[in-house]
């Protein structure tokens, strides 16, 4: 038996639409999920919406259950929370997280969903993918007790990293962003805040997540001798100029990348499933609700995405709410 669902598609650069799509009955080892919420990852998804994925990165940027190809038409997204309606008895009725695009119902292999812990509300669980990115970034960065750390860029990923660093003993953490409104978010997360010009230097570690050339340059300026910048930003098709003259060599600074698609070599014994399960456990902290800064109905996505992409709607994570009777 086939049933219908509705899905959000990027029809072409800057244009979104909702399409009907058939959904087959789940087979052996599969689950049928009815979406409750999904999240818009503003950085990556607005890049996709604008058609800014570089041609040589299109295979790398594919989402697990993506349909279509960049620049479009493409069905893209990876922050879905729903309830299992059909499938193995142990999963039916459970709230789950899945790396699936914005769609009202979908069928996936049972191993593609992760059960949301009872202590985590479904509405907060849309943050799991971003907190997973933060977990991997900190596995790469390996902060130590007593470190002086700046997180430059108060977007969804930067704030997630800062929120986790707030739990580290003896660590001095400061969130740095050009938007003074991020001070309120930092306060909710329990970390200090500064504008770029006022940020404290002499840092052992700077995590950069502003996706701007100026932010990366400022990150280098904030380092102590032999300090490290961990670069989380995804620049898409933009070229970035970096000041590697001046005191870069004499201070023996390091810039290293962190890639969410690969588990940090420092944690090679841990699987993707381990990393996601840890992220969901961490979401029991209600302080992380500060990362959800807007919500709209699924039907509004074609009108909302252009506003998110232009910055007309300022957002960290924008949550999408699905109808209960769809």
């Amino acid at each position: 038996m086939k049933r219908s669902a509705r899905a959000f598609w990027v029809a072409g650069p800057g244009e979104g639409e909702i399409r009907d799509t058939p959904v087959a009955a789940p087979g052996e080892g599969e689950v049928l999920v009815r979406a409750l919420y999904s999240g818009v990852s503003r950085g990556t998804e607005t890049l996709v919406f604008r058609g800014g994925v570089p041609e040589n990165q299109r295979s790398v940027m594919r989402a697990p259950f993506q349909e279509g190809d960049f620049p479009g038409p493409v069905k893209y997204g990876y922050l879905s929370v729903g309830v299992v309606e059909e499938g193995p008895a142990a999963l039916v009725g459970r709230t789950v997280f899945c790396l699936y695009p914005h769609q009202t119902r979908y069928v996936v292999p049972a191993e593609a969903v992760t059960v949301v812990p009872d202590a985590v509300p479904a509405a907060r669980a849309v943050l799991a993918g971003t907190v997973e990115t933060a977990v991997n970034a900190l596995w790469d960065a390996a902060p130590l007790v007593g470190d002086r750390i700046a997180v430059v860029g108060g977007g969804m990923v930067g704030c997630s990293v800062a929120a986790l660093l707030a739990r580290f003993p003896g660590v001095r953490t400061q969130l740095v962003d050009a938007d003074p409104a991020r001070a309120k978010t930092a306060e909710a997360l329990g970390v200090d805040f500064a504008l770029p010009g006022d940020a404290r230097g002499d840092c052992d570690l700077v995590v950069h997540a502003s996706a701007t050339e100026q932010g990366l340059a400022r990150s280098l300026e904030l380092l102590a001798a032999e300090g490290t910048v961990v670069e989380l930003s995804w620049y898409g098709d933009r070229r970035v100029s970096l000041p590697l003259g001046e005191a870069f060599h004499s201070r023996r600074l390091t810039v290293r990348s962190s890639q969410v698609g690969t588990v940090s070599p420092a944690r090679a014994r841990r699987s993707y499933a381990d990393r996601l399960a840890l992220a969901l456990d961490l979401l029991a902290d209600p302080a992380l609700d500060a990362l959800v800064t807007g919500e709209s109905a699924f039907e509004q996505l074609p009108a909302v995405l252009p506003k998110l992409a232009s910055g007309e709607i300022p957002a960290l994570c924008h949550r999408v709410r699905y109808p209960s009777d769809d």
Side-chain angles (χ1 to χ4, degrees):
M1 179 184 73
K2 288 191 176 181
R3 66 205 80 191
S4 64
R6 292 180 296 151
F8 175 77
W9 282 73
V10 176
E15 182 183 354
E17 63 185 25
I18 291 176
R19 299 181 180 183
D20 291 332
T21 184
V23 177
E28 184 71 24
E30 293 183 325
V31 292
L32 171 67
V33 178
R34 175 174 59 83
L36 300 173
Y37 299 97
S38 60
V40 177
S41 177
R42 185 171 180 267
T44 304
E45 289 198 54
T46 57
L47 182 76
V48 170
F49 185 75
R50 294 193 304 265
V53 178
E55 189 170 353
N56 64 0
Q57 292 296 303
R58 289 176 181 174
S59 61
V60 175
M61 283 282 292
R62 288 192 68 86
F65 295 100
Q66 174 181 325
E67 292 183 35
D69 297 300
F70 304 118
V74 61
K75 184 175 76 174
Y76 191 85
Y78 47 83
L79 300 173
S80 180
V81 176
V83 60
V84 175
E85 293 189 320
E86 298 178 28
L91 289 174
V92 171
R94 301 300 301 272
T95 300
V96 295
F97 176 84
C98 185
L99 298 169
Y100 205 87
H102 309 284
Q103 185 165 312
T104 56
R105 273 187 175 85
Y106 49 88
V107 171
V108 293
E111 61 266 23
V113 302
T114 302
V115 174
V116 175
D118 292 339
V120 179
R124 190 186 304 150
V126 297
L127 297 168
T130 306
V131 174
E132 181 190 14
T133 300
V135 166
N136 209 51
L138 293 180
W139 282 353
D140 282 332
L144 300 175
V145 173
D147 272 357
R148 297 154 297 183
I149 303 174
V151 180
V152 177
M156 195 172 168
V157 171
C159 284
S160 296
V161 171
L164 299 190
L165 283 170
R167 304 166 182 234
F168 277 67
V171 165
R172 185 195 83 184
T173 302
Q174 187 172 60
L175 181 66
V176 180
D177 196 272
D179 183 359
R182 289 288 180 260
K184 184 176 180 181
T185 306
E187 181 181 7
L189 297 175
V191 297
D192 188 27
F193 174 81
L195 296 171
D198 300 326
R200 289 184 289 187
D202 202 30
C203 293
D204 304 291
L205 171 69
V206 176
V207 179
H208 179 241
S210 81
T212 67
E213 187 174 293
Q214 297 87 345
L216 183 52
R218 184 61 176 142
S219 296
L220 287 171
E221 292 172 350
L222 295 176
L223 287 176
E226 302 204 3
T228 297
V229 170
V230 173
E231 175 61 279
L232 299 185
S233 300
W234 170 251
Y235 297 93
D237 54 2
R238 288 179 292 143
R239 290 183 176 272
V240 176
S241 176
L242 190 61
L244 298 183
E246 302 173 351
F248 179 79
H249 289 284
S250 63
R251 293 168 60 214
R252 297 175 60 85
L253 305 181
T254 298
V255 179
R256 64 163 302 178
S257 67
S258 181
Q259 224 298 337
V260 68
T262 304
V263 174
S264 166
R267 296 293 184 273
R269 67 186 183 280
R270 309 288 288 273
S271 68
Y272 296 104
D274 290 336
R275 191 173 69 188
L276 182 56
L278 173 58
L280 281 163
D281 285 339
L282 291 169
L283 281 166
D285 185 352
L288 291 166
D289 284 331
L291 303 183
V292 179
T293 52
E295 182 176 295
S296 60
F298 169 72
E299 293 82 1
Q300 296 174 302
L301 263 179
V304 166
L305 254 295
K307 295 178 181 179
L308 288 171
S310 69
E312 181 180 343
I313 298 178
L316 294 175
C317 177
H318 188 87
R319 188 164 56 210
V320 179
R321 182 181 66 254
Y322 289 79
S324 59
D325 58 349
D326 208 289

